[in-house]
Amino acid sequence: MPVGKTSKTYGTEADLVEALRTRHGDPRQWVFVPRLRVGAGFGQVIRWRDRTLAEQVPNPLDRVEQTIDAWAMDLWPAHNFRKFAYEVKVSRQDFFRELEHPEKREAAVMLSNYFFFVTPPGLVSVLEVPEDCGLLYVTSTRCYTAKAAPRHQGPEPTWAFISSVLRREVAPSDPGGADADPPPAGQVL
């Protein structure tokens, strides 16, 4: 399929995330978390028209209300606990918006060893993907690597990020997940 053309047979963003879940399907080896917030808490108001995200919150790991479309961690020590972050794109317009604001993916890159854009085949060309990112194509039957992501080593995760992962894993069906309101002050759990 030529670059720029899409087909409904490839599905929605939710379909692509589900394909990634299948890719990381063995729960003995993988933790897979869709729609993962970078941290816990609230208070990061992002106004794109006023200033860039980097100007508002200089440290990407402090952008607690930012989300990663999907994140996976290999639980096997023999694989060095490798971590993958995925940014799912189903339109070229959305992909190019992401390229205009690379600071949006800084936290995801820092919290992973491999960062991939995930699209239907042909939506994005390998040549359009930034050097520090990979590209996965998802069809109705499989995910395959169109461009390998370079390995990088970021800082250790923050406790805010770890709590966000644990909240999503403990109550993955909870619509609020990491966004749920905390219990009232003084309430004993």
Side-chain angles (χ1 to χ4, degrees), residues 2 25-26 63 78 102 153 157 160 167:
D26 183 352
R63 299 173 191 156
Q153 185 65 43
R167 284 181 183 170

Side-chain angles (χ1 to χ4, degrees), residues 48-112:
W48 289 101
R49 292 186 182 144
D50 298 339
R51 295 178 289 168
T52 68
L53 180 60
E55 290 171 332
Q56 292 179 64
V57 186
N59 182 352
L61 299 181
D62 289 338
R63 299 173 191 156
V64 297
E65 292 186 14
Q66 248 187 300
T67 59
I68 301 170
D69 289 340
W71 184 85
M73 179 177 167
D74 189 333
L75 301 175
W76 290 358
H79 296 162
N80 295 318
F81 303 109
R82 59 196 171 148
K83 295 166 285 299
F84 295 81
Y86 299 103
E87 182 67 30
V88 176
K89 299 296 177 192
V90 293
S91 78
R92 286 182 60 74
Q93 180 181 3
D94 191 21
F95 174 74
F96 286 115
R97 245 190 332 263
E98 184 79 25
L99 295 185
E100 289 173 12
H101 297 283
E103 67 274 11
K104 286 176 62 180
R105 68 177 173 272
E106 281 179 319
V109 170
M110 290 176 74
L111 293 166
S112 64

